[in-house]
Amino acid sequence: MRLADYTQSRDNNFNLIRIAAALAVLVSHSFPLALGSKAVEPLVDLAGMSLGGVAVDIFFFTSGFLVTASLLTRQSVKQFAWARILRIYPALIVVVLLSVFGVGLFFTTQPTTTYLADAKIYKYLLKCSTLITGVNQHLPGVFENNPFKNSVNGSLWTMPYEVKMYIILACVWSIVRLIPANKVKVFKIVLVLSAAISGILLLLVHFHVVNTGGKSLKFFYMFFSGASFYILRDKIALSHTFFFLFLLLLVGALFNKHLFFVSYVLVLGYCILYLAYIPSGIVRKYNDLGDFSYGIYVYAFPVQQSVAALIPGVSVPVMMLYSSVVTLTLAVLSWSFVEKKALHLKEGWLNHRTSFAFPLCMPRSKN
C-alpha cells in the first residue's frame, strides 16, 4: 500500500514515536548532566552521533511531515499559525515560569531579593517564552555547582529552529499563493527541491567539501524531508522488505561512521513512517493515554539538573530513574491541564472561523 493510503486515517503511532524520542533525549542528557559536560553516551563512539541527536532529528522529520499535511489541508496561514502557537507556547510559558520562579528561586545561591531584582531572569523569561531570538540558558546563581554548570533548560535550544521552520513553510506558502495558477503544485515542487538540495549540502558538509549551515542545515533537511514525504505520499510504498533492508543497512554501516551517516540521512525518514503506520494492534492503545512527548522534552532538563543538584555525585542510572519518574509526572500534568486545553481552544477557533469566515476551506486535520 502507498503512504497516501495510511495518511487518510488519524490512527497511527506518531505519539508513541515522539514519546520514545523524548525519553531518548532524557537518556542522552543523563550522561553529561550526571558526569560533566565531557561525558558522552556509548552510541557516540559507535555511530558518531548521540541518541539525543537522533531523537531531535526524528522530531524535526515528523514535524515537517505533520505540519505540512496540516497546512495543505487548511490552506490558510492564519489557521496554520494559530494551531502552531497553541501547540507550542502555552506549555512552554508554564515551564519557563516554573523554571524562573520555582526551580530558580529554590536553587539560586543568591538572596531572594537579589535574584528577583536581577534583570537576567526577566531576559531569560522573555527570550525563552518567545523563541524568536533564541533562548537563554543561565539564571543567576542557579546550578553553578552542578557537573554541567549553569544551564537551566538546555533542551530549549532546538525550539527556535523549529519555529523558524514553521515560519519558512508559511512564507513559502504565502509567496506561492501570489502565483496566478498551479499554486499548490509550485509549493510542492519548492519543498521537494528544498529537501533534495539541503540533503546534498548536508552530505557535502559532512565530508568537508563545503563548510556551511551546521546544525541548522541538518534541521532544515530533516524538516523538509518530512514535508517531501507527505507531498510524495502517492508515490511511496510502505513495504516490509524495504524497511528491513534499510534497517540492515543502518546496522551494517555501524562499522564506519561516514557510511552510517550517509545511510542514516537517506533512510531515516522511511523507517520513521513505516513505524508510524505499519505496526498496529496493541501499540495503538497508547493513543488513548495522551501525547506526553512535548512535556517530557521541555521538563526533562531542569528536572535532571535539579536531581544533580540534590544528589551530588549521582550515577547515570539513578539520574535516569529519578528524572524519568518526575518528568513523566510533570508531562502528564502538562498534557492534562495545559496542552490538551490549548488544543481545544484551537479547534473551537477553527470551527468558528470555518463556519463564519472560511466556508470553502478544506476539512481540518488534528495536527
Side-chain angles (χ1 to χ4, degrees), residues 102-132:
V103 173
L105 270 176
F106 185 83
F107 286 103
T108 185
T109 56
Q110 295 186 355
T112 299
T113 53
T114 303
Y115 174 82
L116 292 175
D118 197 321
K120 291 178 182 177
I121 73 168
Y122 302 103
K123 184 177 180 181
Y124 178 98
L125 191 64
L126 179 62
K127 292 196 72 171
C128 292
S129 295
T130 59
L131 302 176
I132 302 301

Side-chain angles (χ1 to χ4, degrees), residues 222-262:
M222 289 297 169
F223 184 89
F224 284 97
S225 176
S228 297
F229 267 90
Y230 182 78
I231 287 165
L232 299 174
R233 63 195 182 280
D234 290 322
K235 305 180 185 302
I236 297 172
L238 290 182
S239 159
H240 300 302
T241 302
F242 284 153
F243 172 74
F244 286 108
L245 282 175
F246 291 158
L247 204 58
L248 286 173
L249 176 63
L250 286 173
V251 173
L254 283 173
F255 71 91
N256 184 291
K257 293 178 182 179
H258 296 302
L259 181 58
F260 180 82
F261 183 81
V262 174

Side-chain angles (χ1 to χ4, degrees), residues 25-283:
V25 173
L26 184 153
V27 169
S28 184
H29 284 166
S30 294
F31 289 86
L33 294 182
L35 305 178
S37 59
K38 294 183 179 180
V40 294
E41 67 199 69
L43 184 63
V44 174
D45 292 329
L46 181 65
M49 59 181 67
S50 69
L51 184 62
V54 173
V56 170
D57 290 342
I58 291 172
F59 280 129
F60 273 85
F61 178 88
T62 56
S63 179
F65 183 85
L66 294 171
V67 302
T68 300
S70 175
L71 180 57
L72 285 173
T73 298
R74 295 188 174 110
Q75 297 200 6
S76 165
V77 170
K78 289 181 179 180
Q79 293 184 34
F80 173 79
W82 182 239
R84 302 279 63 77
I85 287 169
L86 287 177
R87 188 64 189 96
I88 290 178
Y89 285 100
L92 174 66
I93 291 170
V94 171
V95 75
V96 170
L97 287 170
L98 288 174
S99 297
V100 172
F101 299 110
V103 173
L105 270 176
F106 185 83
F107 286 103
T108 185
T109 56
Q110 295 186 355
T112 299
T113 53
T114 303
Y115 174 82
L116 292 175
D118 197 321
K120 291 178 182 177
I121 73 168
Y122 302 103
K123 184 177 180 181
Y124 178 98
L125 191 64
L126 179 62
K127 292 196 72 171
C128 292
S129 295
T130 59
L131 302 176
I132 302 301
T133 59
V135 295
N136 273 14
Q137 296 297 344
H138 176 66
L139 286 174
V142 180
F143 301 139
E144 289 181 339
N145 299 314
N146 278 17
F148 196 96
K149 298 182 184 300
N150 298 322
S151 183
V152 175
N153 198 338
S155 296
L156 297 186
W157 77 271
T158 65
M159 296 189 62
Y161 291 99
E162 179 84 5
V163 172
K164 288 175 184 177
M165 296 304 117
Y166 298 157
I167 293 172
I168 292 170
L169 187 67
C171 287
V172 172
W173 175 259
S174 299
I175 293 170
V176 166
R177 295 292 289 177
L178 301 176
I179 299 173
N182 298 320
K183 299 177 179 64
V184 174
K185 183 177 181 180
V186 173
F187 177 72
K188 293 178 178 180
I189 291 172
V190 170
L191 296 195
V192 173
L193 286 176
S194 297
I197 293 170
S198 61
I200 293 170
L201 281 174
L202 185 61
L203 293 175
L204 292 176
V205 168
H206 178 77
F207 289 102
H208 306 291
V209 178
V210 297
N211 183 20
T212 183
K215 291 186 178 296
S216 61
L217 177 61
K218 191 179 183 186
F219 293 156
F220 185 94
Y221 167 72
M222 289 297 169
F223 184 89
F224 284 97
S225 176
S228 297
F229 267 90
Y230 182 78
I231 287 165
L232 299 174
R233 63 195 182 280
D234 290 322
K235 305 180 185 302
I236 297 172
L238 290 182
S239 159
H240 300 302
T241 302
F242 284 153
F243 172 74
F244 286 108
L245 282 175
F246 291 158
L247 204 58
L248 286 173
L249 176 63
L250 286 173
V251 173
L254 283 173
F255 71 91
N256 184 291
K257 293 178 182 179
H258 296 302
L259 181 58
F260 180 82
F261 183 81
V262 174
S263 304
Y264 172 85
V265 167
L266 294 177
V267 307
L268 177 67
Y270 187 95
C271 293
I272 291 171
L273 292 175
Y274 176 92
L275 293 172
Y277 288 111
I278 299 302
S280 57
I282 194 170
V283 295

Side-chain angles (χ1 to χ4, degrees), residues 325-338:
V325 171
V326 176
T327 301
L328 183 57
T329 301
L330 292 171
V332 171
L333 293 172
S334 176
W335 170 255
S336 301
F337 297 104
V338 181

